[in-house]
């Protein structure tokens, strides 16, 4: 049986863990990760050998549509879409932000989710099937820095509110919509396994709900 999995979100250890978990289940999946444009550090990427990794410009509605169409072409269908929100920290004072900084903050970590969900909802509603999972890692406001994190908490709050509205909407009548959350001290691999466990259960009782990951989450909720 063909199973199409699309993973999109912020470049992070959790997004990588979700991709690794997908690689255990299918021979191919599609992933699109948003790079951290606020960091100059070069990070070594550890990604599964399977999977197709595509570019995505979150601030563009055309890019969102192109991503979904490209995923359908490569996978033949999209059954599960997993959106991972782990925004990076941006420790700056407001007067230190450039106009370009603000554009990146809004486009990459807020507006992009709306464009992508719009396209995915159209696909899932048309076939009256599919699972949309929105995954959130809660971030602390300061983490002991002298300057406040102007991005993490704001992006997290926006994503949480957006997810809550989706969970309460009529979309849940057309296809499954689930929210997942964990603290920023969680085990990424175990959290990813927990996400796929609930997706694969396919239970209607999980639809339209938040699912909090914790130490006992793999064994009961």
């Amino acid at each position: 049986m063909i199973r199409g999995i699309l993973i999109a979100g912020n470049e992070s250890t959790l997004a990588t863990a979700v991709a690794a978990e997908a690689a255990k289940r299918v021979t191919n999946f599609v992933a699109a990760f948003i790079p951290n444009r606020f960091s100059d550090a070069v990070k070594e990427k550890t990604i599964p050998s399977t999977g197709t990794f595509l570019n995505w410009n979150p601030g563009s509605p055309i890019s969102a549509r192109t991503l979904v169409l490209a995923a359908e072409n490569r996978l033949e269908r999209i059954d599960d879409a997993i959106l991972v929100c782990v925004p990076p920290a941006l420790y700056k004072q407001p007067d230190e932000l450039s106009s370009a900084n603000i554009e990146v903050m809004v486009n990459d970590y807020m507006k992009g989710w709306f464009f992508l969900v719009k396209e995915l909802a159209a696909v899932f509603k048309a076939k009256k099937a599919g699972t949309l999972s929105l995954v959130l890692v809660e971030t602390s406001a300061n983490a002991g820095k002298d300057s406040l994190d102007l991005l993490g908490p704001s992006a997290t709050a926006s994503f949480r509110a957006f997810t809550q509205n989706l969970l309460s909407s009529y979309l849940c009548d057309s296809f499954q919509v689930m929210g997942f959350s964990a603290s920023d001290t969680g085990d990424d691999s175990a959290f990813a396994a927990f996400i796929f466990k609930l997706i694969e259960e396919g239970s209607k009782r999980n639809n339209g709900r938040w699912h909090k990951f914790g130490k006992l989450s793999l064994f009961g909720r």
Side-chain angles (χ1 to χ4, degrees), residues 153-199:
S154 298
T156 298
S158 174
F159 188 84
R160 171 173 279 281
F162 180 46
T163 299
Q164 183 58 54
N165 287 337
L166 291 176
L167 295 175
S168 304
S169 76
Y170 69 93
L171 291 177
C172 295
D173 296 331
S174 304
F175 54 89
Q176 281 211 321
V177 182
M178 292 188 288
F180 294 88
S181 66
S183 67
D184 54 9
T185 58
D187 183 328
D188 290 330
S189 297
F191 188 20
F194 172 68
I195 293 166
F196 275 96
K197 176 179 179 289
L198 293 194
I199 291 174

Side-chain angles (χ1 to χ4, degrees), residues 58-169:
S60 166
I62 295 175
S63 183
R65 177 168 296 181
T66 299
L67 173 60
V68 171
L69 290 174
E72 287 184 305
N73 288 337
R74 285 163 173 77
L75 302 173
E76 297 187 25
R77 54 192 279 180
I78 300 174
D79 298 296
D80 305 314
I82 304 173
L83 310 188
V84 183
C85 179
V86 190
L90 180 61
Y91 294 110
K92 287 181 177 290
Q93 295 295 338
D95 59 302
E96 297 174 330
L97 291 174
S98 67
S99 296
N101 288 155
I102 296 172
E103 287 287 342
V104 170
M105 290 170 63
V106 174
N107 288 340
D108 286 9
Y109 304 106
M110 298 177 194
K111 185 162 65 173
W113 303 119
F114 287 80
F115 289 143
L116 188 53
V117 167
K118 173 183 181 297
E119 298 299 329
L120 291 168
V123 170
F124 290 155
K125 282 181 67 178
K127 66 178 186 178
K128 296 183 179 180
T131 300
L132 174 63
S133 300
L134 298 103
V135 182
L136 171 68
V137 172
E138 305 284 1
T139 58
S140 56
N142 198 346
K145 300 288 184 178
D146 293 334
S147 298
L148 291 177
D149 176 4
L150 294 181
L151 174 57
S154 298
T156 298
S158 174
F159 188 84
R160 171 173 279 281
F162 180 46
T163 299
Q164 183 58 54
N165 287 337
L166 291 176
L167 295 175
S168 304
S169 76

Side-chain angles (χ1 to χ4, degrees), residues 15-92:
T16 300
V18 172
E21 199 66 30
K24 298 177 183 178
R25 291 163 164 77
V26 293
T27 56
N28 190 27
F29 60 89
V30 167
F33 295 158
I34 307 167
N36 180 2
R37 293 198 272 168
F38 294 114
S39 174
D40 295 327
V42 177
K43 297 181 180 179
E44 182 179 349
K45 296 181 181 180
T46 304
I47 59 177
S49 56
T50 58
T52 300
F53 290 80
L54 302 177
N55 293 322
W56 169 39
N57 176 10
S60 166
I62 295 175
S63 183
R65 177 168 296 181
T66 299
L67 173 60
V68 171
L69 290 174
E72 287 184 305
N73 288 337
R74 285 163 173 77
L75 302 173
E76 297 187 25
R77 54 192 279 180
I78 300 174
D79 298 296
D80 305 314
I82 304 173
L83 310 188
V84 183
C85 179
V86 190
L90 180 61
Y91 294 110
K92 287 181 177 290

